Amino acid sequence: MKTKYILLTLLIMNSMYITSSPAMPSWLKQAVFYQIYPPSFQDSNGDGIGDIRGIISRLDYIRSLGANTIWLNPLFSSEFKDGGYDVTDFYSVDKRYGTNSDLVELVNEAHKRGIRVCLDLVAGHTSDKNPWFIQSQQADANLRYSDYYIWPAFIPDDISEWAAGKYIPSDAPRGNYYIKNFYACQPALNYGYANPDPNHPWEQPMDAPGPQAVRREMKNIIAFWMDKGVDGFRVDMAMSLVKNDPDKKGTMQLWHDMKGWFAERYPEGVLIAEWFNPTEAIAGGGFHIDFIAHAEKDNYTSLFFNREGGEFEPLVCYFDREGKGELRTFMEMYSRHYEAVKGKGYASLPTSNHDFQRPNCYTRNTLPQLKVAMTFFLTMPGAPFIYYGDEIGMKFLTGLPDVEGSRGEDGKNRAGTRTPMQWDGSPNAGFSTADTSRLYIAQDPDPQRPTVAAQENDPDSMLNYVRQLLKMRSGSAALGNDGDWKLLSDVNRPYPLVYLRSAGDERYCIVLNPSDKRVTAEFPSLESAGANCRVTTAAPAKYSRGKKTDKVTAPPVSATIFKME
Ligand code: NOJ
């Protein structure tokens, strides 16, 4: 009796902590993100490049999907050697996208429609043309921005090849090398070293004046935009800030401190990490959301990458009609992160993003296949992230030339996932009135390419399927961001994938079969009075209830959502 009482008290305390935690913005529970790559969404002035006024004109469309939060890739002044991730001025919108006032108007117009707006904070580096970096190059090390960057005198010989690759030779009076973060034109900002080596005077501790000044600058940038009404940030390469930090303790501490400041000042603001390790980012660094995506081999690669970067040898993946994929890699990793961040934040699974292939890629290119993939994305826990165009099944294009650094240093094709949005049947699919040769990136040449207009009135379209799923999700605590998740099928018998979403008495059983074979799964009985099919992409799976075990048989390439009574 006593134990029961203690357990109950603990349970109440725990749920109080979760629901009343000031660290979680109240709206996140219902948040559905829509990611916009600004140069590719909607051009309003006919120069072939998307812009802010174009985005404003499409806000009603975004709302019509059931999305309620936008994440915009960087819009700040840039040299565009890395699609805007090489910032020259964090306090101004680049003129090709409009003005700061346009961005404020976008925020206001979005808010009127119940849409929140998140920007992209490139916290780890700047452009090498940023005035801070230019000043930092001077021999005088006592200038305002001198220590915003890291200036090694030599490359230590005890470091790995990877770490040595970060040292970029320089003829600046200040030093022989600077440290880069991504491309050589992106010098790393100096947040200090977790384990500074006294023999390397450029390795400043995290609490040294330079690194502290950089932190203050980041807070200024955050406050500058938050005070204009923005709702939060996705933080680029958030895991990269503190150097020589193998266990990420320094970087977690840094974000933990930043988050404390942020949450106090902007309790309804959101911080989303690009870390690809939700346990570290959320449980350690205090972020609200992190992605499980493409970054590491074990992330979501095993589920969706059927052709790495679109240009290389085909890979075997789970969401493929061949049905030769495996689930263990993903499930082990996902379950670990899911448990570690439960109640603290979300490990989100984006449909794709500007860095890696869309679901429509290679042989995963039919409507039923794409619907199965979308069912997965929109019925998993955590806030959904829909990358623009995935809601109509836009294709990942291969064979495109480099556009503004789209071909990463490893030769990956990122242009193929950044092609302009396909709105309608007019020239350039309604993206721009510019001559086709001037488009930011060439569009899918297929005359049958998917468009919003063509799908709008087709009840079976991908677009309307996304709307249907999001509507269902918004009306259900079980299917929502916080609903519980449990794998039901056997991880060693990967097809079909069956999982349960639940909240209190409300339960949904999701059955996904990406393969072109009829497949069956058996799992411990859910002890329900009935399984009602609520959504299906093909003939529904068959659910048989048993005393000890339940059984589902799924037709080829199908998704079924059952409501358990
Ligand atoms: C990650 C961004 O998503 C990517 O597009 C960019 O190239 C690198 N960070 C460098 O900022």
Side-chain angles (χ1 to χ4, degrees), residues 37 71 73 82-83 85-86 120 122 125 181-183 186 234 236-237 274 276 294 353-355 405 414 418:
Y37 195 66
W71 153 32
N73 291 102
D82 182 17
Y85 282 95
D86 47 327
D120 207 313
V122 191
H125 48 270
N181 229 24
F182 191 67
Y183 286 137
Q186 291 163 313
R234 173 263 194 186
D236 185 63
M237 292 178 74
E274 186 202 35
F276 305 124
H294 59 303
N353 79 15
H354 59 291
D355 288 333
R414 299 189 293 180
R418 300 175 179 181

